[in-house]
Amino acid sequence: MTRLTNPLHSWFLGPKGENEQLLKELLDSALQAHLSWRRGYHPEDPSPIPAEASSTPAAASQRAELKGQFAALLRQLRGSVPFFSGRYNGHMLSEQTIAAQAAYFAAMLYNPNNVSGEVAPVTTQLEGEVAEQLARMIGYDPWRCWGHLTSGGTIANFEALWIARNVHYYPVGASLAARSLGVDVPVSMPGGSLAMLRDLDLWQLLNIRPECSLDLWEKLWAAAPKQLVESALSRHSLASLGYQDYSRQLTREFGDPLAAGVVLAAGTSHYSWAKIVAALGLGSNQLVLVPVDRECRMDPDSLWREIESLTNKRIPIMACVSTCGTTEEGAVDDLQRILEVRERAQRELGVTFHIHSDACYGGYAASLTRAPGGSRHAPGAIREMLGTAQWPTDQWVRSLSALERADSVSIDPHKLGYVPYPAGAFLLKDKRGRELVSTDPPYLAVATSRENGEQPVIGRFIFEGSKPGASAAATWLSHKTIPLNSAGHGKIIASTLRGARELYALLGSSDFAPFRVIRLAEPDLNIVCFLLHHPSLTTLSDINALNETIYRELSPDAQMSAPYMITRTRLTSPGYDGVIEPLLSLLGGDIGRSPETAAEGLTILRATVMNPFSSQGGPDYLLGLTDSVRQVAMSFLRDPATMVASRPAARS
Ligand SMILES: Cc1ncc(COP(=O)(O)O)c(C=O)c1O
């Protein structure tokens, strides 16, 4: 590919608006099509606005007021973060594809509300197709799975746990409902044997594989008339009783109050999980942190030990959250091994749970593993395509390929999908699970499936209600024109991964004397984390102050005067012990070893190299960023008064 045939050059507006003409044409044709649509609808209807209305003084003054305020808004917007520039490597914020921008604008004019096909007949169909595009990228069977767009990753993650919880507890309610109905049905056990539902004790009921719980759901509906099953389930299920009554019922029926089920997640997981366990009433104590390794990935051996220990205490596990692209480091968990740990738990301990992959950030990297025809590339073929010898590793490719075996996956188009906010996506491998959270809106036409040619009522199965059809149109057109494979979207991802690796190498090879740059593990995606150290600094607080200063100098202010922009985060114990320990060894001495300083945590600098053009020629922004970090550090040396009070970092 020469510099003149690079498709990335026409997929984005461009840092200098190089593709202005294309965007103008698309926006103008969207407006013209919309006007013609309005005018073509009952053309016989007269206009309610008299022709001369626009020439009155009042109308002229309203127009002037609007134009004035609009110009003021445009001026204010110039204070936004310059996401389009290679100088911005801060949060997960970057360019949007022209396709997405134009489609968003076009659909926005029609104001479709994707809560239901009744109010958005076109864009709800597009939303279904987006789910199918994403499903094919990760390897879900589009006929078996279900997916939809959300306002973002937090809600997609929420829905994953909402469904996981209801599927997990379903067999308990089903068993009590079966007793009251006088029926019984066979259930597959984690080890593969069959048992009758009513013979199972509470522990066994809480350890039915998610797909077997859903088989059970179907079997129970077939075992008795629908209304009787409905009423029996509503008298016994967690979803209708709520935790207090449910626990009372368990004590009464099984002589055993429910041991609170836990959710396993690594210390690197996104803070949305803390919100979600609280919002679902599970309690934040039930979010159990699994140790991470020095690569910031969930440690599968520690996961196994945690499962064994919980099983010994007879504490049920509702779900395990694995991350594909951690927020702070872009680390990709070894999902394949995590799935193997679950298989082992099923086999050896009779224990099982839902596995969710929070691929909100990294999910789009799966596009690199797909050939244009849809088949999966072997790791060697990806390396050959990228002209790299060792990267991506076999394990990396295996982890992304394993997304197809997770029970649910969240992927955000508004992150590495390069489409405008709001656009998260939730994918569920077995679509029956959505029935366990469904609510029929009485005022919207209720229909269950698109396959029946009926209007989809997305709102029936999701947490949100009204939501923008424009997001569906934007994501759909972007995927349609930049397909989710190695010849399409994979090129954007590859370019940013390359950029991050270049920055990582530059930080390692540049002369920062008298400072030392300490880098976290090589990036799995496109986030580079590092910190600076100086021999005169002997406490963790001082080292944190140095790095806080660098962050402060390289972060947005009102004038956007920083030459480059990055962010920082704070690694704290115990969630990050696996990462902090090796870093402290590199710092040397006893730095950070006392309990007080360990509690303070370690500030690290973080550069999100999301800009598609970072490694595509043009200005060498990565070298510029490296130089800026050095210069800011030098000024710290000249003026230690710039030391800032260390304070906990907020996560993006
Ligand atoms: C891994 C991960 N999960 C979930 C989220 C939450 O996404 P959102 O901000 O779209 O709600 C983020 C956001 O950065 C994330 O990085």
Side-chain angles (χ1 to χ4, degrees):
M1 182 172 59
T2 71
R3 257 177 73 64
L4 294 179
T5 58
N6 185 344
L8 265 68
H9 292 165
S10 50
W11 284 342
F12 298 94
L13 179 55
K16 304 285 176 196
E18 291 85 343
N19 289 309
E20 171 189 3
Q21 192 52 34
L22 173 61
L23 185 58
K24 272 185 179 157
E25 280 170 24
L26 294 172
L27 297 187
D28 189 52
S29 62
L31 184 58
Q32 292 310 324
H34 180 76
L35 292 173
S36 135
W37 175 71
R38 286 184 177 227
R39 289 169 187 153
Y41 183 73
H42 286 283
E44 73 280 11
D45 290 355
S47 166
I49 304 177
E52 57 282 8
S54 63
S55 35
T56 63
S61 127
Q62 276 169 10
R63 277 198 302 276
E65 164 73 4
L66 174 58
K67 285 182 183 172
Q69 293 296 347
F70 191 63
L73 170 69
L74 297 182
R75 280 193 300 277
Q76 278 191 53
L77 286 171
R78 289 178 67 93
S80 299
V81 169
F83 60 86
F84 55 84
S85 167
R87 289 176 181 269
Y88 184 79
N89 292 281
H91 290 283
M92 297 166 166
L93 168 66
S94 189
E95 272 287 16
Q96 307 119 70
T97 63
I98 285 195
Q101 289 171 319
Y104 194 98
F105 175 78
M108 180 199 67
L109 295 173
Y110 299 80
N111 201 22
N113 179 351
N114 268 28
V115 68
S116 157
E118 216 183 348
V119 276
V122 178
T123 49
T124 49
Q125 295 291 338
L126 297 182
E127 183 164 341
E129 288 179 38
V130 166
E132 199 173 317
Q133 292 163 334
L134 290 170
R136 287 190 196 282
M137 174 180 72
I138 65 163
Y140 271 4
D141 173 355
W143 299 109
R144 219 184 133 223
C145 78
W146 179 69
H148 71 95
L149 292 175
T150 61
S151 64
T154 302
I155 295 293
N157 284 344
F158 177 91
E159 289 191 4
L161 198 55
W162 189 25
I163 291 178
R165 182 198 59 180
N166 287 9
V167 172
H168 175 81
Y169 287 114
Y170 176 74
V172 180
S175 160
L176 296 174
R179 277 192 221 172
S180 75
L181 291 166
V183 299
D184 208 354
V185 289
V187 191
S188 299
M189 303 304 291
S193 60
L194 272 186
M196 293 310 286
L197 176 63
R198 285 169 55 187
D199 294 340
L200 302 180
D201 65 24
L202 185 56
W203 179 250
Q204 289 170 311
L205 289 167
L206 289 170
N207 281 291
I208 304 291
R209 277 183 283 143
E211 66 273 24
C212 300
S213 176
L214 293 167
D215 291 344
L216 172 60
W217 177 79
E218 282 191 322
K219 285 182 204 159
L220 192 66
W221 284 105
K226 184 173 179 292
Q227 271 150 347
L228 294 184
V229 176
E230 198 163 2
S231 135
L233 281 175
S234 74
R235 274 180 281 121
H236 297 292
S237 71
L238 173 63
S240 43
L241 294 180
Y243 276 110
Q244 283 190 342
D245 281 350
Y246 196 63
S247 302
R248 271 190 221 116
Q249 169 182 258
L250 294 179
T251 315
R252 201 172 55 238
E253 302 286 343
F254 294 93
D256 190 357
L258 181 66
V262 299
V263 177
L264 302 173
T268 46
S269 58
H270 187 253
Y271 80 111
S272 55
W273 293 104
K275 289 191 205 175
I276 293 163
V277 289
L280 282 171
L282 304 177
S284 46
N285 291 347
Q286 268 53 257
L287 185 65
V288 173
L289 294 188
V290 178
V292 293
D293 60 20
R294 66 175 297 281
E295 271 89 22
C296 308
R297 304 180 193 133
M298 179 185 276
D299 175 26
D301 294 330
S302 302
L303 173 65
W304 169 253
R305 283 193 290 278
E306 193 61 67
I307 294 168
E308 263 188 322
S309 147
L310 291 164
T311 305
N312 289 337
K313 291 183 250 169
R314 288 179 83 75
I315 296 178
I317 303 165
M318 228 176 283
C320 171
V321 176
S322 160
T323 310
C324 174
T326 58
T327 314
E328 275 127 315
E329 312 83 12
V332 175
D333 280 350
D334 190 339
L335 182 55
Q336 163 99 351
R337 284 206 54 210
I338 290 169
L339 287 156
E340 283 165 8
V341 167
R342 178 174 68 174
E343 277 160 29
R344 182 174 169 205
Q346 288 172 178
R347 223 174 31 246
E348 295 181 20
L349 308 174
V351 160
T352 190
F353 43 85
H354 181 108
I355 291 187
H356 174 74
S357 174
D358 179 348
C360 283
Y361 189 61
Y364 273 90
S367 60
L368 254 181
T369 72
R370 286 271 167 223
S375 61
R376 186 86 78 178
H377 284 304
I382 301 178
R383 289 190 285 268
E384 205 171 300
M385 204 164 54
L386 299 178
T388 50
Q390 285 163 2
W391 165 82
T393 61
D394 288 7
Q395 183 195 311
W396 188 93
V397 179
R398 261 202 328 265
S399 303
L400 280 143
S401 306
L403 286 173
E404 67 186 28
R405 291 170 52 214
D407 297 301
S408 54
V409 177
S410 40
I411 303 181
D412 285 350
H414 68 202
K415 294 192 172 78
L416 288 179
Y418 295 88
V419 312
Y421 299 106
F426 172 64
L427 299 174
L428 181 65
K429 186 165 72 184
D430 185 334
K431 68 177 161 205
R432 295 174 298 174
R434 66 185 182 173
E435 301 290 347
L436 275 79
V437 295
S438 69
T439 308
D440 287 336
Y443 60 95
L444 291 173
V446 172
T448 48
S449 67
R450 233 164 31 95
E451 300 93 78
N452 299 340
E454 294 158 335
Q455 300 280 29
V457 180
I458 299 177
R460 183 170 182 236
F461 303 113
I462 69 173
F463 187 67
E464 290 165 287
S466 299
K467 61 204 198 74
S471 293
T475 314
W476 178 86
L477 191 68
S478 199
H479 291 174
K480 201 82 185 155
T481 54
I482 308 171
L484 300 180
N485 59 43
S486 56
H489 202 90
K491 283 195 187 297
I492 307 176
I493 301 291
S495 156
T496 70
L497 301 195
R498 223 179 255 122
R501 299 182 83 77
E502 275 175 32
L503 177 61
Y504 187 82
L506 270 174
L507 288 168
S509 60
S510 302
D511 179 10
F512 275 82
F515 291 92
R516 209 153 49 92
V517 173
I518 294 172
R519 298 170 300 167
L520 268 69
E522 273 199 330
D524 279 343
L525 293 173
N526 49 20
I527 301 178
V528 181
C529 293
F530 60 101
L531 61 113
L532 263 66
H533 181 33
H534 184 272
S536 69
L537 303 175
T538 53
T539 68
L540 201 59
S541 299
D542 288 347
I543 297 173
N544 284 345
L546 164 65
N547 288 286
E548 290 285 345
T549 299
I550 297 171
Y551 157 70
R552 199 190 46 187
E553 295 299 313
L554 297 178
S555 56
D557 59 14
Q559 288 73 40
M560 298 297 150
S561 58
Y564 285 85
M565 289 170 226
I566 56 174
T567 57
R568 56 89 162 90
T569 189
R570 184 72 61 92
L571 306 185
T572 50
S573 180
Y576 270 95
D577 281 354
V579 185
I580 298 175
E581 275 300 314
L583 289 177
L584 292 182
S585 306
L586 290 172
L587 290 176
D590 282 338
I591 292 173
R593 304 263 171 205
S594 76
E596 304 80 58
T597 51
E600 177 179 336
L602 186 60
T603 295
I604 55 160
L605 300 168
R606 170 175 170 267
T608 308
V609 189
M610 263 183 85
N611 191 287
F613 302 108
S614 287
S615 67
Q616 295 284 316
D620 196 335
Y621 289 125
L622 301 173
L623 190 59
L625 171 57
T626 311
D627 281 345
S628 282
V629 172
R630 185 191 301 108
Q631 277 163 27
V632 175
M634 292 299 179
S635 67
F636 178 88
L637 212 54
R638 283 193 295 274
D639 181 13
T642 54
M643 266 175 51
V644 289
S646 295
R647 54 181 181 271
R651 296 186 190 188
S652 60

